[in-house]
Amino acid sequence: MPASLCLIIATFLWGSSFISLKYAIGVYDPAVVIFLRMLTTLAVSLCLWRFITRFDYRQGDWKYLVSMSLAEPCLYFLFEGHAMEHTSASQAGVIVSCLPLIVAVLAFFMLKERISRAIIVGFTLCIGGSILLTMLSPASEHAPNPIVGNTLELLAMLCAAYYTVSVKHLAARYSPLSLIALQGLAGSLFFAPFLLFVETPQNHDPIAFAHILYLGTFVTLGGYGMYNYAISKVSVLTAAAYSNLIPIFTLLLSAIVLSEVLTLGQWLSIAVVFAGVMISQRHQAIVVDLEEEEINEAETNKRKSVPEAGELKG
């Protein structure tokens, strides 16, 4: 399957996750929702045990495996689960637009990938637009405290960015399912103690439970599986750029499923965020041009270093 198609499917599933998560936490505490989601992912992964064991461990990988699992799902779902208690699914989807830029910054430090002026300008606009969206978003039924919710969602994006860069480092040696199974195990162990401090409803909602199963199978197992496979085939910045589709899918699904309506100020804030994203995409062209210049320069130097036919004659 082409990497681009895998990324489109993954972003659609992640965009739909905000809808399911919003519904599920309306019935259950976020810790309960996330624990059951991770447990579902782990259970399904164990059914595919022979695919999980396909990896080539190298000395020092444990640092990336542990920190990757701590960033996502542990801290990521902790921040996002509570963010959805305070903000709307559509606003959370817009904050996701900042992910490619945060990935670019982390890739510069961790993978030594180039970072251009376009990335810096775009990053500034995205962060500014997210802050503007938060300040202009009034409290509502879907977003009772958007300042807290959007801040938590932004912290979740920092965790997601670190996860993306870590997966790029590990993808050549670990199968996508191996990394997902590790996420399911880490998430189940991390969120299990939280169950001691929350109250579970006496009457269970089968629809909310179905949303949790959807999150654990299609979104986590399917979405991350597609994404981890694709990121092993393309650059980390290319993969992250596809996350721009997440808010589009989220906004459409929020309007269809949750009947959410955005104000004019919120739409203007969204425009600022997307302007930052579009400016940041110039980074791709700049990197390609620089790489071509380096290749041409290297070929020229190589030709100059080879003696002419006349110089070889004594």
Side-chain angles (χ1 to χ4, degrees):
M1 184 179 294
S4 58
L5 180 59
C6 290
L7 290 169
I8 292 174
I9 295 174
T11 52
F12 174 81
L13 292 172
W14 289 342
S16 68
S17 71
F18 292 100
I19 312 299
S20 293
L21 187 60
K22 187 70 176 178
Y23 189 95
I25 64 174
V27 179
Y28 300 104
D29 186 271
V32 175
V33 172
I34 299 169
F35 170 75
L36 293 177
R37 173 180 180 175
M38 291 292 95
L39 192 63
T40 301
T41 299
L42 179 60
V44 177
S45 298
L46 290 178
C47 294
L48 304 171
W49 177 257
R50 65 190 185 95
F51 297 102
I52 296 176
T53 55
R54 295 180 181 177
F55 61 87
D56 178 24
Y57 179 82
R58 294 184 184 179
Q59 186 176 4
D61 280 355
W62 68 270
K63 299 177 182 178
Y64 287 95
L65 292 170
V66 172
S67 60
M68 177 199 75
S69 301
L70 180 62
E72 191 170 350
C74 299
L75 294 178
Y76 173 83
F77 287 138
L78 183 64
F79 289 139
E80 186 176 76
H82 287 284
M84 297 309 297
E85 288 185 310
H86 303 286
T87 191
S88 65
S90 56
Q91 290 185 51
V94 173
I95 301 298
V96 176
S97 299
C98 298
L99 178 60
L101 306 183
I102 302 174
V103 168
V105 174
L106 289 181
F108 171 76
F109 290 104
M110 296 177 63
L111 302 178
K112 308 303 179 183
E113 294 197 13
R114 290 188 180 92
I115 185 169
S116 65
R117 186 179 300 175
I119 286 288
I120 297 174
V121 174
F123 182 82
T124 303
L125 282 175
C126 272
I127 297 298
S130 299
I131 294 174
L132 185 62
L133 173 66
T134 300
M135 300 304 294
L136 292 178
S137 298
S140 64
E141 178 185 356
H142 294 292
N145 195 338
I147 293 179
V148 174
N150 291 346
T151 300
L152 290 173
E153 186 63 32
L154 189 58
L155 291 174
M157 288 305 102
L158 290 172
C159 296
Y162 181 81
Y163 170 84
T164 298
V165 177
S166 298
V167 168
K168 182 62 179 179
H169 178 77
L170 298 167
R173 300 189 296 278
Y174 295 83
S175 69
L177 194 57
S178 298
L179 298 177
I180 294 172
L182 179 61
Q183 285 183 274
L185 176 62
S188 299
L189 294 176
F190 182 83
F191 288 103
F194 286 84
L195 301 181
L196 300 175
F197 305 98
V198 299
E199 295 182 2
T200 55
Q202 298 297 324
N203 299 322
H204 295 282
D205 186 335
I207 298 179
F209 193 73
H211 279 286
I212 294 174
L213 292 178
Y214 172 76
L215 290 169
T217 53
F218 289 93
V219 176
T220 301
L221 194 66
Y224 281 98
M226 292 285 184
Y227 187 79
N228 291 352
Y229 169 78
I231 207 172
S232 66
K233 305 296 182 182
V234 299
S235 72
V236 65
L237 295 182
T238 300
Y242 274 81
S243 65
N244 299 328
L245 297 175
I246 297 176
I248 296 176
F249 290 135
T250 304
L251 287 170
L252 292 176
L253 292 173
S254 296
I256 296 171
V257 179
L258 300 179
S259 300
E260 291 186 3
V261 179
L262 298 180
T263 65
L264 177 60
Q266 289 173 310
W267 280 113
L268 291 176
S269 303
I270 292 170
V272 173
V273 172
F274 276 99
V277 170
M278 295 302 295
I279 291 174
S280 69
Q281 293 308 299
R282 294 181 55 193
H283 170 79
Q284 300 289 344
I286 292 173
V287 170
V288 172
D289 291 340
L290 288 174
E291 289 179 349
E292 289 179 352
E293 289 178 5
E294 288 181 353
I295 293 173
N296 293 334
E297 184 178 353
E299 292 178 350
T300 301
N301 293 335
K302 184 177 180 180
R303 285 195 296 268
K304 288 182 179 179
S305 65
V306 178
E308 297 292 339
E311 294 177 354
L312 293 174
K313 295 179 180 179

